[in-house]
Amino acid sequence: MTIPANPYPYPLPSTGLALIIIDMQRDFIEPGGFGDALGNDVGLLRSIIPNVQALQQAFRRYGLPIFQTVEGHLPDLSDCPPSKRDRGSSSLKIGDRGPMGRILVLGEPGNGIIPELAPLPDEVVIPKPGKGAFYATELEAYLKAQGITHLIITGVTTEVCVQTTMREANDRGYECLLVEDATESYFPEFKQATLEMVRAQDGIIGWTGFTEAVLSTLALQYDAAVAV
Ligand code: TIU
């Protein structure tokens, strides 16, 4: 079974598939958070919520693992490099108190996953101090423990945390499909460039494809299995 994708169909394994949802947090998607403090139009990211929800529901329905990440720092900022906190000219820096609590600090209201994509109690949420989801996290240990080899990647923002994570995963041997209409950027041209660069050179980093293609292929593979 394969998922229609670019640059060629993505091989769907019989086991070892997981959904990765990167940083669908209020800090990036709602006014008053980190994304807003950096000067971005955060409303641009909302358009993918229904597609990420559809993938989340499908993976739940088929009993496939889902890993969400949140970018955030410990309250004492001991895991935040000064270079990250000091970068830029915003008056609201990481750790400062904003309208949704301290900016980009784990456990603050604004750092949480948006309610539309709230994880179930048994779903793993990986806190991450960097842009990539493998740097200084438990993600790889979870994936190895569960025999995961193939990652369907979604979330925000495409050219920052999503692309960094996909590159980290590719270097570790994971087969990655980035879902075009389930990832978004504050910069449409950067999203487009990311899609093109990851699938160029015969999939130098991996594949790109659409939500509907993933959903319909999963239905063929798993609904058929359920029917038998
Ligand atoms: N600023 C921006 O585009 N993104 C981030 O800082 N983090 C993530 O991409 N999650």
Side-chain angles (χ1 to χ4, degrees), residues 5-27:
N6 275 309
Y8 57 90
Y10 176 83
L12 190 63
S14 53
T15 62
L17 184 73
L19 176 65
I20 306 285
I21 303 176
I22 302 287
D23 299 357
M24 291 296 285
Q25 301 164 245
R26 301 180 70 201
D27 250 317

Side-chain angles (χ1 to χ4, degrees), residues 22-23 25 28 34-35 38 40 71 128 131 156-162 186:
I22 302 287
D23 299 357
Q25 301 164 245
F28 295 106
F34 183 56
L38 294 174
N40 297 300
E71 182 178 347
K128 64 181 186 56
K131 302 308 181 191
V156 297
T157 62
T158 313
E159 79 281 8
V160 183
C161 292
V162 173
Y186 301 122

Side-chain angles (χ1 to χ4, degrees), residues 16-228:
L17 184 73
L19 176 65
I20 306 285
I21 303 176
I22 302 287
D23 299 357
M24 291 296 285
Q25 301 164 245
R26 301 180 70 201
D27 250 317
F28 295 106
I29 298 174
E30 295 186 8
F34 183 56
D36 191 4
L38 294 174
N40 297 300
D41 176 0
V42 292
L44 280 173
L45 305 188
R46 299 199 68 86
S47 63
I48 62 164
I49 294 172
N51 286 341
V52 182
Q53 277 179 318
L55 290 163
Q56 184 186 48
Q57 283 160 14
F59 273 68
R60 284 175 181 166
R61 174 169 143 77
Y62 302 128
L64 298 168
I66 301 170
F67 297 92
Q68 296 215 47
T69 65
V70 292
E71 182 178 347
H73 295 283
L74 298 169
D76 65 3
L77 303 187
S78 57
D79 59 353
C80 180
S83 60
K84 182 174 180 182
R85 178 172 153 82
D86 296 343
R87 188 83 48 81
S89 56
S90 171
S91 57
L92 268 186
K93 300 277 193 199
I94 294 169
D96 290 347
R97 199 157 295 283
M100 297 193 292
R102 294 179 67 201
I103 298 284
L104 216 62
V105 170
L106 296 170
E108 296 288 331
N111 199 241
I113 291 167
I114 57 171
E116 294 92 329
L117 292 167
L120 296 177
D122 63 341
E123 291 175 357
V124 177
V125 178
I126 307 270
K128 64 181 186 56
K131 302 308 181 191
F134 288 82
Y135 167 68
T137 74
E138 300 288 311
L139 178 59
E140 193 168 15
Y142 275 107
L143 298 179
K144 282 188 169 156
Q146 297 188 29
I148 306 296
T149 54
H150 287 60
L151 304 178
I152 303 295
I153 300 181
T154 65
V156 297
T157 62
T158 313
E159 79 281 8
V160 183
C161 292
V162 173
Q163 181 175 202
T164 304
T165 297
M166 185 163 172
R167 288 174 180 274
E168 287 182 327
N170 182 58
D171 280 346
R172 287 164 174 77
Y174 294 95
E175 302 279 31
C176 300
L177 171 68
L178 173 56
V179 186
E180 291 198 27
D181 52 357
T183 183
E184 197 49 272
S185 168
Y186 301 122
F187 304 89
E189 66 276 27
F190 292 170
K191 172 179 175 177
Q192 198 52 39
T194 301
L195 294 171
E196 288 172 22
M197 70 175 84
V198 301
R199 68 190 174 214
Q201 304 179 67
D202 260 350
I204 191 75
I205 308 297
W207 287 258
T208 65
F210 289 91
T211 301
E212 188 46 45
V214 177
L215 293 176
S216 56
T217 310
L218 289 180
L220 277 177
Q221 175 145 317
Y222 293 101
D223 282 336
V226 170
V228 172

